Amino acid sequence: MPDRPLSPTPSSPMLLTRRGVLGLGLGAVAAAVLASCTPAPQWVTPTGAAVSGTEKNRGGTGRVTTVDLTAAPTTLDLAGTSAATWAFGGIPAPVIRLTAGDTLKATVRNQLDADTPCTGTDSPSATTWMGSLR
């Protein structure tokens, strides 16, 4: 049998050379130069001219649907088991039907406490508004 160690020998640690330092410095300078060549971002604000013009051209049907929603804790009966939850009047919530071009005017009241039986922690509540599928 040859006279070799049973485990591989560790490689020598990588040392930083002058060439390596110069390469890192050139890379940093190149990144800074390229970053300064990018134009400043053009932000669109909700009250800006681009949004106002688009909304004006959008048109619509002229129909306005008005709803009142109240978020409040409620209890569900799940086959004999009570479950504490949140709802907007009904379970799961009232259905609001609109067509493209209609306007929704919603009044939302929040009657949820910061500490509710659903979470047991001090956490604010939020509502997610989603579009509909056709």
Side-chain angles (χ1 to χ4, degrees):
M1 241 166 115
D3 195 13
R4 287 195 227 163
L6 296 176
S7 63
T9 59
S11 62
S12 62
M14 190 169 104
L15 299 175
L16 192 58
T17 63
R18 271 186 278 177
R19 186 175 288 169
V21 170
L22 285 173
L24 287 173
L26 284 173
V29 168
V33 167
L34 288 175
S36 67
C37 293
T38 358
Q42 300 285 326
W43 301 109
V44 177
T45 61
T47 56
V51 174
S52 297
T54 302
E55 287 298 321
K56 184 180 274 187
N57 293 334
R58 183 188 307 262
T61 61
R63 288 188 297 260
V64 177
T65 301
T66 304
V67 295
D68 290 318
L69 299 171
T70 302
T74 189
T75 304
L76 287 175
D77 180 14
L78 302 173
T81 302
S82 295
T85 187
W86 301 337
F88 286 99
I91 301 297
V95 175
I96 304 168
R97 296 197 186 272
L98 304 167
T99 57
D102 289 356
T103 300
L104 174 65
K105 183 179 177 183
T107 302
V108 181
R109 292 177 185 83
N110 186 357
Q111 293 183 350
L112 298 171
D113 294 330
D115 188 24
T116 66
C118 294
T119 62
T121 62
D122 286 333
S123 61
S125 57
T127 300
T128 303
W129 300 92
M130 294 176 250
S132 60
L133 299 175
R134 289 186 170 191

